[in-house]
Amino acid sequence: PARSLGNLARLLKPVTGRMVIEVPNAESLITYLFGELTPIYDVPRHLYFYGPDTLAALLKKTGYRIESMRLSSRPNQFVRCFRAGIGRIPFEPWRLKADQMLGSAEFLAAMEPLSSYAEQLKLGASIRVVVSRQV
């Protein structure tokens, strides 16, 4: 990632060029609650894991200035983690009922306060950074 980011930095126009980067947050509420069930460990899509500080250090090292950083969560990210855990339910009727509940609009809506809480704690599931080239 460092080499690729360094190459991309050289393509940005100084002063006016901007790039948006979004990666999973390895230090998120979802990661703390669900561990290995989180989408962050979806190899080969995710090979490197970052928290806000490690991502900021990498970006600065590779020639970027951070304009803004936001940690965000979406309800469907929590639903996805719950869905990953369904396979661990030992009793099939319970698995089927859990799958049915997770597919409901009501369950998705119930995850909205949890998503908001994660953001308030600055433990959002995603890190979105807007960067410019260091001059």
Side-chain angles (χ1 to χ4, degrees):
R3 185 173 16 161
S4 296
L5 285 168
N7 290 336
L8 288 169
R10 288 188 284 280
L11 297 175
L12 283 180
K13 290 182 181 179
V15 183
T16 61
R18 300 283 182 278
M19 181 168 60
V20 177
I21 299 169
E22 186 167 347
V23 297
N25 180 8
E27 299 170 8
S28 70
L29 181 62
I30 284 179
T31 305
Y32 294 148
L33 293 177
F34 294 98
E36 67 188 34
L37 297 177
T38 63
I40 192 173
Y41 299 114
D42 185 12
V43 176
R45 283 186 337 138
H46 303 293
L47 298 175
Y48 300 92
F49 309 110
Y50 302 98
D53 293 338
T54 55
L55 181 59
L58 175 64
L59 291 169
K60 288 175 184 173
K61 175 183 163 188
T62 54
Y64 295 95
R65 185 169 76 81
I66 295 174
E67 301 283 331
S68 67
M69 179 181 285
R70 180 169 183 242
L71 302 170
S72 64
S73 287
R74 292 178 294 284
N76 65 337
Q77 292 168 312
F78 285 91
V79 172
R80 186 171 177 194
C81 292
F82 278 109
R83 196 168 289 288
I86 286 177
R88 296 179 176 203
I89 298 173
F91 190 52
E92 185 176 357
W94 292 356
R95 275 196 311 273
L96 296 173
K97 184 65 175 173
D99 189 51
Q100 182 183 27
M101 285 188 292
L102 291 179
S104 73
E106 293 83 8
F107 190 84
L108 184 62
M111 295 298 101
E112 184 62 47
L114 192 54
S115 295
S116 295
Y117 181 63
E119 289 181 7
Q120 289 170 14
L121 294 175
K122 303 217 181 305
L123 294 174
S126 299
I127 308 169
R128 178 176 283 191
V129 184
V130 178
V131 295
S132 60
R133 189 169 135 187
Q134 288 179 1
V135 273

